[in-house]
Amino acid sequence: MVFENIDFEKSISELNQSPKDVGSEVAFVGRSNAGKSTAINSITNRNSLAKTSKTPGRTQLINFFKVNENKRFVDLPGYGFAKASKEKQKSWNRLVTNYIKYRQSLKGVILIIDIRRGFGEMDLMFLDFYLPLNKQLHILLTKADKLSKQKQSLILNEAREIYGSIATIQIFSGTKKIGVTEAQDQVIRILESTK
Ligand code: GDP
């Protein structure tokens, strides 16, 4: 499967606006600025695909991208915007958690973690919520180009020790194209999983 025909489908602010819940979806999650858009762009080999999700008014919506008739990428709003009000953060929570909980076609999540910052409070809260759902999880330790090879593998090994039994984890850099093929393979694995 290649993603060259991927295209923006729609943004939603209410679950009932979602595309029909059939086929399979992979969702991208992470704190704002972790590198989610850059990761989506490099995995799809499309330089400005995820820009759509960054246009004003869209950053707090769920954005759907269609790969083909029955496969979609889903860009979830980044958690922890400095500027969002408490009310907006709550509605982020409700929209996203309900989407993740009830969406039949959601096969798995790609969690984006800035390798230098590691797992933050929101990432851990996300994992607490997500893991009991028993869906697939793949973690990208991104912006790896900012660390030495030695430091990268140290952190990867640490992360695998802690999360290796519940997730696959890799080193990644969207800007320096590190681990892109591995990430593509994982996305395909999730989209093709039958669970
Ligand atoms: P998002 O808010 O999670 O979608 O994050 P973006 O993809 O917009 O990235 C946030 C900032 O981090 C931007 O300035 C990117 O250029 C930078 N960035 C993203 N990925 C990488 C990476 O792999 N390496 C480096 N060095 N910078 C990155």
Side-chain angles (χ1 to χ4, degrees):
M1 191 193 314
V2 282
F3 305 121
E4 62 195 19
N5 292 324
I6 192 165
D7 222 338
F8 175 68
E9 186 170 359
K10 70 188 305 196
S11 302
I12 64 154
S13 58
E14 298 287 341
L15 280 191
N16 62 13
Q17 301 163 337
S18 307
K20 211 162 159 225
D21 195 1
V22 292
S24 42
E25 286 173 2
V26 60
F28 292 77
V29 187
R31 71 186 289 160
S32 299
N33 225 38
K36 180 162 56 71
S37 309
T38 309
I40 294 174
N41 288 338
S42 55
I43 288 169
T44 55
N45 205 10
R46 295 274 299 273
N47 282 337
S48 60
L49 189 72
K51 210 166 85 186
T52 328
S53 316
K54 292 230 149 190
T55 52
R58 284 224 169 106
T59 53
Q60 292 169 51
L61 305 178
I62 295 182
N63 296 293
F64 289 87
F65 297 87
K66 190 168 159 179
V67 176
N68 60 35
E69 261 331 295
N70 56 12
K71 296 201 168 38
R72 290 172 296 274
F73 277 36
V74 183
D75 189 2
L76 297 176
Y79 31 72
F81 330 85
K83 289 202 202 96
S85 65
K86 279 268 177 307
E87 268 322 296
K88 283 216 167 121
Q89 287 186 9
K90 260 195 223 152
S91 87
W92 179 92
N93 242 341
R94 189 179 45 81
L95 178 67
V96 175
T97 54
N98 284 338
Y99 162 77
I100 293 175
K101 223 160 145 181
Y102 299 117
R103 187 79 172 164
Q104 294 287 327
S105 44
L106 178 66
K107 303 298 179 197
V109 160
I110 308 288
L111 172 62
I112 319 289
I113 303 278
D114 181 333
I115 193 167
R116 297 161 312 163
R117 303 185 73 137
F119 292 77
E121 194 185 346
M122 292 291 281
D123 300 309
L124 299 179
M125 281 171 65
F126 169 75
L127 290 176
D128 275 351
F129 156 74
Y130 183 71
L131 293 177
L133 301 175
N134 264 321
K135 294 183 194 247
Q136 314 267 349
L137 179 64
H138 183 63
I139 299 173
L140 302 183
L141 299 173
T142 194
K143 307 197 188 181
D145 57 288
K146 297 200 174 188
L147 297 180
S148 69
K149 277 254 159 59
Q150 198 187 8
K151 197 85 212 274
Q152 290 173 23
S153 45
L154 202 75
I155 296 177
L156 177 63
N157 289 340
E158 256 174 35
R160 281 184 174 156
E161 252 171 52
I162 303 171
Y163 301 108
S165 60
I166 46 104
T168 47
I169 311 168
Q170 68 162 104
I171 295 293
F172 187 84
S173 165
T175 46
K176 290 281 152 61
K177 306 276 183 275
I178 300 170
V180 175
T181 311
E182 187 180 349
Q184 288 169 330
D185 289 346
Q186 292 290 348
V187 165
I188 292 169
R189 178 182 64 81
I190 290 172
L191 284 174
E192 292 184 341
S193 77
T194 48
K195 203 164 82 175

